Amino acid sequence: MRGLLGLALGVAVGWAAPAAAQEISDGDLLRVFETQRDAFRAAEESGMGRTRGLTLVTVDDVQGPTTAAAAEPPPAAPPEGGEGVSVGSTGTVGLAPPELRPLVPAPPAAPTPVVFGQLAPDLQVNVRIEFAFDSAALSPDQKPRLEQLCRVMKASDIARFRIVGHTDAAGSDAYNERLSILRAREVQRYFVNECGIDPARLEAIGLGKRFLFDTANPRAAENRRVEFQALS
């Protein structure tokens, strides 16, 4: 089902391709988030868990959500099979990170059912972040891909965002679930410590390979992504 906005391929912020996706304005990105928020509200109020462009799906045994980013370095991913890493454009940023907020690390969340908003492709906001193999550390050359999101999210009146880690279909279910939540938490940590977004506005979950963007090619690079949703 197509969503409420006519963006032909959805919103891919910071992806290596297509070129048109990289040129979305801050205003257009904000409007996508506002449309997401309105869709979540309408789906909840409908009593049916769905509206145009959005279906609410209960997903069992999800790692997360976490609502506070820890200030310590991220743990390494578990040492078993792995998802592929694609090679794209890179760059360096010479800005020293600001002083970290004294956040209290949340204890590891037990797997729990989560209601996930399955958005139509044209309402999705996805970022292709390249992590090192078996790692959840966000390298400096990847942070510029998050700068536009930082500006738009921080300045918006949206109360709550969800950061969703996704993988491709390579590797075991357990490995991909763990890897996806670690990477989502690392992006969450960036938005709190370096972007300055109130941690109460953010939550992170990992869904592994459950919701592939390119179902025709389960190992495609487009499936290895971080998705952003405006919940309320």
Side-chain angles (χ1 to χ4, degrees):
M1 181 181 297
R2 305 308 292 170
L4 302 177
L5 294 184
L7 303 178
L9 294 176
V11 181
V13 180
W15 286 42
Q22 297 177 354
E23 298 167 0
I24 184 171
S25 69
D26 287 11
D28 285 341
L29 180 57
L30 176 59
R31 281 187 284 275
V32 175
F33 278 136
E34 290 173 339
T35 304
Q36 287 184 356
R37 177 188 59 190
D38 293 344
F40 275 100
R41 181 183 299 122
E44 292 171 356
E45 293 175 351
S46 71
M48 300 176 62
R50 66 174 59 203
T51 189
R52 186 182 181 193
L54 172 66
T55 300
L56 300 180
V57 181
T58 299
V59 184
D60 294 326
D61 300 327
V62 173
Q63 290 284 341
T66 61
T67 55
E72 81 280 3
E80 61 172 289
E83 82 172 304
V85 177
S86 65
V87 178
S89 60
T90 60
T92 57
V93 54
L95 299 177
E99 183 178 355
L100 298 181
R101 294 188 181 188
L103 299 175
V104 178
T112 182
V114 167
V115 176
F116 172 67
Q118 191 169 11
L119 289 159
D122 54 326
L123 282 182
Q124 293 183 23
V125 176
N126 292 298
V127 181
R128 175 82 170 94
I129 299 293
E130 294 178 8
F131 294 89
F133 180 74
D134 262 356
S135 172
L138 184 63
S139 60
D141 66 309
Q142 297 299 299
K143 293 179 182 180
R145 300 187 178 198
L146 299 171
E147 289 175 353
Q148 183 184 28
L149 281 160
C150 171
R151 290 194 306 273
V152 173
M153 292 166 62
K154 189 174 182 179
S156 76
D157 63 354
I158 293 169
R160 194 170 189 81
F161 290 94
R162 174 177 281 174
I163 301 168
V164 187
H166 297 277
T167 68
D168 64 14
S172 70
D173 290 348
Y175 174 84
N176 284 320
E177 294 280 331
R178 180 67 172 157
L179 185 64
S180 64
I181 184 59
L182 291 178
R183 290 178 173 178
R185 287 173 181 167
E186 175 69 350
V187 172
Q188 179 189 35
R189 183 180 293 108
Y190 163 84
F191 280 106
V192 173
N193 288 332
E194 298 192 36
C195 179
I197 294 179
D198 185 342
R201 297 179 65 197
L202 303 171
E203 68 174 49
I205 64 172
L207 294 176
K209 58 187 179 184
R210 302 189 202 210
F211 295 92
L212 299 175
F213 189 82
D214 184 354
T215 56
N217 186 1
R219 297 195 179 200
E222 288 80 6
N223 295 317
R224 302 189 293 271
R225 69 201 192 278
V226 179
E227 182 181 357
F228 293 80
Q229 299 184 340
L231 299 184
S232 62

